[in-house]
Amino acid sequence: MASPTRSSSPVPSLPPPRPKSPPQYPDLYGKRRELLKVQMLEREIGFLEEELKSLEGLQPASRRCKEVHDFLMANPDPLIPTNRKIRRSHRFWKWLCGKSCFNFSWICCCFSGCSLRLSMPSCCNCCPSMKCWFCRWPRCHWPRCSWPSCTWPSCTWPSCTWPSCTWPRCACLRCTCPHCTCIHCHCPHCHLPTCCCCYFCCCLEKPSCGQCCTLPSLSCPDCDPCSGCTCSCPKCTKVCHCSNCTKTCCSPCYLC
Amino acid sequence: MSVAELKKRHIAATATVNALREQLKQKRILLLDTDVAGYARSQGRTPVSFGPTDLVCCRTLQGHTGKVYSLDWTSEKNRIVSASQDGRLIVWNSLTSQKTHAIKLPCAWVMTCAFSPNGQSVACGGLDSICSIFNLNSPNDKDGNLTVSRMLSGHKGYVSSCQYVPDEDTHLITSSGDQTCILWDVTTAQRLSVFGGEFPSGHTADVLSVSINGSNSKMFVSGSCDATARLWDTRIASRAVRTFHGHEGDVSTVKFFPDGYRFGTGSDDGTCRLFDMRTGHQLQVYHQQHDGEVPLVTSIAFSISGRLLFVGYSNGDCYVWDTLMAKVVLNLGSLQNSHEGRITCLGLSADGSALCTGSWDRNLKIWAFGGHRKVI
């Protein structure tokens, strides 16, 4: 085996490596952000100086207050009590209403000469629980009052707990009235007490659950001769839902 | 210029801005020679007087299984859409209390809802940063849910409020936690204009509410966590027309006054204010002294005439302010059958005959005038 030959001349040694430090990158991100902030502030200064200038010669606030005052005094408001003179003829009906309210309330309310019939039937004393507008309020048990809301106390819509039910399809309302526009429950297993939130059902037919429409006074027998179908509004044009009724009733406003 | 020099310029510019704002504030104080209530007293006006049964709750709309966050009436018929923590929108017939639609939302974290002017669509938005549009006439999917007809994507933060431009079913304005408002073309789902953001001057914190001027739909006002309200012209997105200072907390709600020249604001500082759009004057402050913690204003609405200002508070109160006299004339929160929790939203029907309130108690209630027209 031949031995490696050694060179006779010395090999110059390389200098030790000197790794360079990474170059210093300019802090562009911070500078640009700072520049942007300054630009926005200087723009804001311009806007504020413009606004200060616009205040020169600006009229005081009293001028605008007067405009608000004049506007408010000029326009009526359906939610604000107003004062109106009450005619003598109405006072008679009001008195009559108060004396024999159960029988004459609907007359009073329908009385075309009633000066207060403006969206406020005047048999307000007839309804034992609340004023006439609210005779249709669910909690009023006035025999003539029931439409349009369901007062079934155990109505638990939409909290059906049957596992296979998925709200809102399961609304626990088994109303089968063809006119009903309630969200119906299609769950065959729904076991919660159902209620009829559709006025129609109480008069036309009972829903299939058999538990609904047990409200007093508005079940079908009471609809003949439509004692449950009186409407106090003289302008009413809606068809009564009772199959035997020939009266018309309506709700021109949500308060009826 | 070095970063250090820029920082010096920043400090100097900030000081200049603050000094100019202080100058503006002082000049405005000098121009406030009276407020609306002071002027009305000088004319001998007296506050509106309500009897205990004049404004009553005549409907309770039950059905949501979570807190109600937002509501809106249709512009013609008496329908209401409400949005709730239960992740659903419900469309109600306010006359009959019946529910006509119950829409399960793709994102349950909804914060706002609105009806389109024609009443055929509803829009909603929330923590998904998207404004979703539903056509109420479209058929349900196989699961019985109404499908989204448009998704307006572009905000980089939650959608806090939305409103359709009056009489324009194709345009809608949203406000967002990303500090901007956006005008959308609903048909193409495109952003037409972005108001605010980093480059154009705008709000410097989350925007919580918008209100479009019913008399001039090119103008709208926004309220923000930066304690200001800003007036915008939809034709000029580059800058706000005017900034309204005065509140000391987040401006959580804004509403235009019926005359179209003023707007009201409500804030976490517990006050409501009436500002003049054209001059910037703060015309009135509506503030009630409280012992202890000051309740936050969550929602406001003007009656159709503007004489009444309905204000919902975080403690469940719903004050009815006489706008003219700056007096509380009624507290719906103390009436029989009132809400049992914070009132989060309220709105007047199109004909002004009814107020609907929504609450953390999961219900909506409708209030109307139940009193007599009194005898002189």
Side-chain angles (χ1 to χ4, degrees), chain A residues 31 34 36 41-42 56 59 61-62 64 67 69 77 82 84 133-134 137 157 167 181 254-255, chain B residues 1 9-10 27 31 33 45 58-59 88 95 98-99 262 278 281 303 305 353-354 368-369 374:
Chain A
K31 189 174 178 179
E34 205 55 47
L36 183 62
L41 281 169
E42 287 174 351
E56 310 283 337
Q59 287 171 337
S62 51
R64 303 298 168 177
E67 286 176 4
H69 167 271
D77 195 306
T82 55
R84 288 184 59 177
W133 248 355
F134 304 94
W137 177 238
W157 191 97
W167 191 95
T181 58
Y254 64 91
L255 290 172
Chain B
M1 195 180 291
R9 252 177 85 180
H10 185 184
K27 280 210 164 179
L31 287 168
D33 52 341
R45 302 299 174 201
C58 55
R59 293 287 187 275
R88 287 176 170 87
L95 295 179
Q98 291 175 345
K99 305 163 194 64
R262 265 62 66 164
R278 292 171 295 183
H281 290 321
S303 64
S305 70
S353 65
F369 180 71
K374 296 226 185 280

Side-chain angles (χ1 to χ4, degrees), chain A residues 12 46 50 62 76 79 219 230 237 246 249-250:
Chain A
E50 264 180 45
S62 51
L79 293 176
S219 52
T230 52
T237 56
T246 56
C249 61
C250 79

Side-chain angles (χ1 to χ4, degrees), chain A residues 27 30-52 54-56 58-73 75-86 91 94 116 118-122 124-125 130-131 133-134 136-139 147-149 157-159 166-169 180-183 197-200 238 251-256, chain B residues 1-3 6-7 9-10 13-14 16-17 20-21 23-24 27-28 31-36 39-40 43 45 48-50 53-60 62-63 65 88 90 94-99 101-102 143-145 198-201 238-239 242-243 257-259 262 274 276 278-279 281 283 303-308 310 323-324 337 348 351-354 366-376:
Chain A
D27 183 14
K31 189 174 178 179
R32 282 179 182 165
R33 291 286 290 181
E34 205 55 47
L35 186 62
L36 183 62
K37 285 180 193 173
V38 168
Q39 283 173 347
M40 285 175 67
L41 281 169
E42 287 174 351
R43 197 162 178 228
E44 181 72 14
I45 289 170
F47 294 152
L48 289 168
E49 284 171 346
E50 264 180 45
E51 194 176 340
L52 259 175
S54 72
L55 291 187
E56 310 283 337
L58 192 66
Q59 287 171 337
S62 51
R63 184 71 172 265
R64 303 298 168 177
C65 294
K66 180 183 183 315
E67 286 176 4
V68 173
H69 167 271
D70 294 347
F71 178 83
L72 291 177
M73 297 313 297
N75 297 304
D77 195 306
L79 293 176
I80 295 178
T82 55
N83 292 333
R84 288 184 59 177
K85 281 190 179 173
I86 187 168
R91 286 184 196 157
K94 204 163 182 285
L116 287 186
L118 171 66
S119 64
M120 176 51 74
S122 56
C124 300
N125 296 325
M130 291 179 81
K131 291 183 181 158
W133 248 355
F134 304 94
R136 278 104 175 153
W137 177 238
R139 291 180 295 180
W147 188 91
S149 303
W157 191 97
S159 53
T166 55
W167 191 95
R169 283 181 297 164
C180 184
T181 58
C182 306
I183 296 175
C197 70
C198 173
Y199 161 82
F200 298 94
K238 194 172 178 184
S251 62
C253 80
Y254 64 91
L255 290 172
C256 287
Chain B
M1 195 180 291
S2 67
V3 173
L6 276 173
K7 284 187 174 168
R9 252 177 85 180
H10 185 184
T14 304
T16 307
V17 163
L20 283 170
R21 283 190 181 149
Q23 269 187 58
L24 262 172
K27 280 210 164 179
R28 285 206 175 272
L31 287 168
L32 288 183
D33 52 341
T34 186
D35 59 13
V36 171
Y39 181 85
Q43 301 300 305
R45 302 299 174 201
V48 169
S49 171
F50 276 100
T53 56
D54 279 344
L55 266 189
V56 291
C57 174
C58 55
R59 293 287 187 275
T60 296
Q62 293 177 302
T65 55
R88 287 176 170 87
I90 295 182
S94 64
L95 295 179
T96 63
S97 304
Q98 291 175 345
K99 305 163 194 64
H101 297 80
D143 297 322
N145 296 319
E198 208 165 289
F199 291 98
S201 76
S238 56
R239 57 171 287 193
R242 182 166 277 112
T243 302
F257 189 66
D259 74 352
R262 265 62 66 164
L274 185 69
D276 185 272
R278 292 171 295 183
T279 59
H281 290 321
L283 299 180
S303 64
I304 198 170
S305 70
R307 183 65 190 262
L308 302 177
F310 298 94
T323 317
L324 186 67
N337 203 24
L348 269 290
D351 63 358
S353 65
I366 298 180
W367 308 80
F369 180 71
H372 281 287
R373 301 302 196 217
K374 296 226 185 280
V375 176
I376 297 174

Side-chain angles (χ1 to χ4, degrees), chain A residues 52-211:
Chain A
L52 259 175
K53 207 168 178 183
S54 72
L55 291 187
E56 310 283 337
L58 192 66
Q59 287 171 337
S62 51
R63 184 71 172 265
R64 303 298 168 177
C65 294
K66 180 183 183 315
E67 286 176 4
V68 173
H69 167 271
D70 294 347
F71 178 83
L72 291 177
M73 297 313 297
N75 297 304
D77 195 306
L79 293 176
I80 295 178
T82 55
N83 292 333
R84 288 184 59 177
K85 281 190 179 173
I86 187 168
R87 291 204 290 264
R88 273 187 166 182
S89 57
H90 173 71
R91 286 184 196 157
F92 167 74
W93 287 105
K94 204 163 182 285
W95 170 85
L96 187 64
C97 238
K99 289 289 179 193
S100 52
C101 53
F102 293 98
N103 293 327
F104 287 93
S105 61
W106 69 272
I107 294 175
C108 187
C109 294
C110 298
F111 178 50
S112 59
C114 175
S115 63
L116 287 186
R117 66 179 170 84
L118 171 66
S119 64
M120 176 51 74
S122 56
C123 65
C124 300
N125 296 325
C126 302
C127 177
S129 62
M130 291 179 81
K131 291 183 181 158
C132 221
W133 248 355
F134 304 94
C135 283
R136 278 104 175 153
W137 177 238
R139 291 180 295 180
C140 175
H141 298 296
W142 181 241
R144 288 175 176 74
C145 302
S146 61
W147 188 91
S149 303
C150 177
T151 61
W152 187 247
S154 61
C155 176
T156 53
W157 191 97
S159 53
C160 178
T161 58
W162 185 253
S164 62
C165 285
T166 55
W167 191 95
R169 283 181 297 164
C170 176
C172 304
L173 299 171
R174 304 292 294 277
C175 178
T176 58
C177 170
H179 303 289
C180 184
T181 58
C182 306
I183 296 175
H184 294 287
C185 174
H186 300 294
C187 171
H189 306 292
C190 183
H191 64 286
L192 284 174
T194 55
C195 71
C196 172
C197 70
C198 173
Y199 161 82
F200 298 94
C201 301
C202 293
C203 280
L204 291 176
E205 59 182 85
K206 291 203 175 205
S208 56
C209 71
Q211 295 181 29

